[in-house]
């Protein structure tokens, strides 16, 4: 290929990369939650299922674990990518419901991009 052909290919490829970068949609950061888990004031132990739901749709799941004699958890609830038809996660201000072994708990969260809430 002649030098001019190489140059044209590089310019075209560069233009495609710039266009692709302009169309790239940033993925929201998760809204993360952590804390201790008790039932009746007593730790629940390790390995208990904890799920997070928004509007009745499960979006994240984890299990409790032991830390210094306390049952604790950490869960990341993904964010929704608004430009897609699927619901991948939460959006600003939505209420996050938590379930412990499938049973709703009284504490809730509020989904917010990139937060780490106790």
């Amino acid at each position: 290929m002649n030098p001019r052909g190489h140059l044209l290919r590089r310019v075209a490829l560069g233009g495609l990369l710039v266009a692709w970068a302009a169309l790239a949609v940033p993925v929201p950061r998760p809204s993360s939650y952590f804390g201790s888990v008790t039932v009746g004031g007593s730790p629940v132990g390790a390995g208990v299922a904890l799920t997070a739901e928004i509007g009745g749709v499960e979006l994240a799941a984890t299990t409790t674990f032991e830390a210094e004699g306390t049952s604790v958890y950490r869960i990341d609830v993904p964010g929704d990518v608004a430009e897609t038809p699927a619901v991948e996660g939460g959006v600003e201000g939505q209420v996050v419901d938590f379930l412990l072994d499938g049973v709703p708990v009284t504490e809730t969260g509020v989904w917010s991009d990139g937060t780490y809430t106790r």
Side-chain angles (χ1 to χ4, degrees):
M1 183 178 284
N2 65 36
R4 184 177 174 162
H6 279 312
L7 178 61
L8 289 175
R9 288 179 87 180
R10 288 181 183 168
V11 168
L13 180 58
L16 286 174
L17 289 174
V18 168
W20 177 79
L23 294 175
V25 177
V27 176
R29 296 167 295 172
S31 186
S32 301
Y33 303 88
F34 70 100
S36 60
V37 184
T38 61
V39 173
S42 299
V44 297
V48 178
L50 179 80
T51 56
E53 297 182 348
I54 294 178
V57 176
E58 182 179 314
L59 296 173
T62 190
T63 56
T64 59
F65 57 97
E66 296 275 334
E68 299 177 7
T70 303
S71 299
V72 294
Y73 74 97
R74 181 184 180 282
I75 192 166
D76 297 325
V77 182
D80 188 52
V81 178
E83 289 77 12
T84 66
V87 176
E88 301 93 357
V91 297
E92 289 294 330
Q94 285 185 309
V95 173
V96 179
D97 295 307
F98 299 102
L99 291 84
L100 190 60
D101 261 350
V103 178
V105 300
T106 56
E107 291 82 9
T108 61
V110 176
W111 197 94
S112 186
D113 182 39
T115 57
Y116 199 62
T117 307
R118 183 176 195 143

